[in-house]
Amino acid sequence: MIPYGRQLVEADDIAAVVDVLGSDWLTGGPRIDDFERALCAQTGAAHAVAFANGTAALHGALSAAGIGPADRVLTSPLSFVASANCARFVGAHTDFVDIDPKTLNLDPAAVGACDALVAVHYSGLPVDLTSIPTRPRVVVEDAAHALGASTPDGPVGNCARSDMCTFSFHPVKAITTGEGGAVTTNSGALADALRRFRSHGTVRRPDLGGWYYDVATLGYNYRMTDLQAALGVSQLAKLERFVTRRNAVAERYHGLLASLPIDLPPVAPPGVRHAYHLFAVRVPNRRAVYEAMHAAGIGVQVHYVPIYKHSLYADGSRSGADFPETERAYDGLLSLPIYPALTEADQDRVVEVLERCLA
Ligand SMILES: *Cc1c(COP(=O)(O)O)cnc(C)c1O
C-alpha cells in the first residue's frame, strides 16, 4: 500500500532517541529546551512550548488566551475536528466560516464577529490573515499542516498576525516526534501560561521552600518526553529538505495530472511558500474512485469530513446549506500520496491508477 502520508525516520534520528534512553532525563529534561529553542529558530517566534500532541497545543492556546464559556470561536469547517474541539474543551461556543474555493482555506473576508479565530492553514497553504476585516481579540493559527511554509510576513509560526501558532508532529505531518505538538508565541505572559497549563498549573515557589509549588489554575499533564524532543531536534534539522521534496512532488503532480478531468489544488501565490502537507484533488464519483484506488493499493484519504457534519456538532443550528463552498469541495476531495520518501516510480503508479479509475 502506498499511503497518503508517512514519516521519514533515518539512522541519525534513531540514534538521537537511543541516546536519551541512557541519559538522566526521559521527560522534562534538556532535550525539551533544545527542541523549543530550535522551533524558535525555525519560526522566528520569541517562545516555543512543546506539548504532548497538536490537540493539547490547541487546548493550551485557547486556555492561555483566556477563552471560555462566554466566548464565540470561529474556525474552518474543512479541518480536522481538533480545530473546533479545542474551543469546546474550554466551554466556548464554536462556529464555522465557509471556505474560499480558490484556496480551500476559510474565507478571511467572511470572518465575522467573534472572540477568537482558529485559522487553519489547510494542506500547508497559509490562510491570508491580512484579509480579515476586523482582527478578533484572539487569533490562533492551527499550523498543523504548515511547518516550513512562509508568507511575505516570514515563516509560519512567527505569529506576525496572530497571538499563538500551534503545530503537530504526528507522523504524517512535516516532521515527527511520534505524537507531539507545540505552541509558538511572542508573548512572555502567554508562554508562561502555556507552560503552567502543560504541567498541572504548577508554579514553583522557592520563597516557601525548595519543594514548594503552588497550583492556582487548572492544568493537565500535556508534557512531551525528552525521547520525543530528541527526535524533534533531529527531524527539524531536515525540515528544509523535507518541504523542498514535498514541493517537488507537488510540482510533478501538477504536470502529470494537468490533462485529467479533475480539479488540482491551489498553488501558492507569489511570496508564499506552500508546505504541501496534503495534495488534495477534487474528482468526480469520489466514492468509486476512493474504493478503486484502495483496491489497487493506493491509500488515498479524504481531508476532511466537514466538522459541522459530525454528530457532536449537529445541534440543529447549522446545516450544509450554510457552507455551500465547503459542501461543493468536500464532494470531490481526495488526498493523493505526498511525503518526502515517495519515489517517482510510486508517484507514476498513483497517476496511472488514478487515470484508470477515472476512465
Ligand atoms: C493533525 C492535526 C491536529 C491535531 O494534531 P495531533 O498531534 O494529532 O493532536 C490539529 N489540527 C489539524 C488541522 C491537524 O491536521
Side-chain angles (χ1 to χ4, degrees), residues 85-346:
N85 281 353
C86 59
R88 300 280 291 259
F89 294 161
V90 296
H93 176 71
T94 312
D95 212 341
F96 304 97
V97 182
D98 201 8
I99 62 166
D100 174 349
K102 292 190 296 298
T103 64
L104 305 181
N105 278 320
L106 67 78
D107 180 359
V111 173
C114 64
D115 299 283
L117 175 69
V118 176
V120 184
H121 303 307
Y122 176 83
S123 79
L125 180 65
V127 59
D128 180 9
L129 294 174
T130 66
S131 302
I132 296 170
T134 312
R135 190 198 195 277
R137 177 159 59 89
V138 174
V139 177
V140 173
E141 296 171 71
D142 178 349
H145 299 183
L147 184 65
S150 63
T151 73
D153 287 324
V156 167
N158 70 357
C159 303
R161 293 177 193 273
S162 67
D163 299 286
M164 286 169 277
C165 187
T166 70
F167 295 99
S168 165
F169 312 118
H170 179 278
V172 295
K173 307 288 165 76
I175 65 162
T176 192
T177 60
E179 297 282 357
V183 184
T184 57
T185 181
N186 294 316
S187 157
L190 288 174
D192 288 345
L194 289 162
R195 288 182 201 286
R196 285 195 298 273
F197 188 78
R198 170 176 75 176
S199 198
H200 310 284
T202 56
V203 179
R204 298 224 156 266
R205 289 291 304 272
D207 53 318
L208 299 177
W211 69 91
Y212 204 94
Y213 59 85
D214 184 39
V215 176
T217 55
L218 191 62
Y220 294 77
N221 179 353
Y222 275 166
R223 292 186 300 264
M224 176 183 275
T225 67
D226 274 49
L227 300 166
Q228 293 165 297
L231 181 54
V233 170
S234 184
Q235 286 263 301
L236 197 51
K238 305 173 181 191
L239 177 66
E240 183 53 38
R241 167 163 56 105
F242 288 177
V243 175
T244 298
R245 180 70 197 125
R246 284 178 179 275
N247 272 270
V249 170
E251 198 177 327
R252 196 158 178 271
Y253 268 139
H254 272 284
L256 293 170
L257 300 172
S259 61
L260 296 192
I262 63 175
D263 289 321
L264 296 178
V267 296
V272 172
R273 190 189 199 199
H274 202 313
Y276 278 112
H277 164 60
L278 300 175
F279 193 90
V281 300
R282 279 153 287 160
V283 301
N285 306 316
R286 193 258 313 278
R287 186 162 185 170
V289 174
Y290 172 96
E291 279 164 10
M293 291 195 79
H294 271 254
I298 314 289
V300 289
Q301 188 51 277
V302 176
H303 297 97
Y304 293 89
V305 175
I307 299 174
Y308 55 75
K309 288 190 187 291
H310 293 305
S311 308
L312 179 64
Y313 287 89
D315 59 5
S317 72
R318 61 183 89 80
S319 75
D322 298 316
F323 308 101
E325 297 301 344
T326 303
E327 290 284 298
R328 231 189 312 276
Y330 170 64
D331 258 3
L333 277 176
L334 197 67
S335 299
L336 303 185
I338 188 167
Y339 48 91
L342 185 73
T343 64
E344 292 199 349
D346 285 345

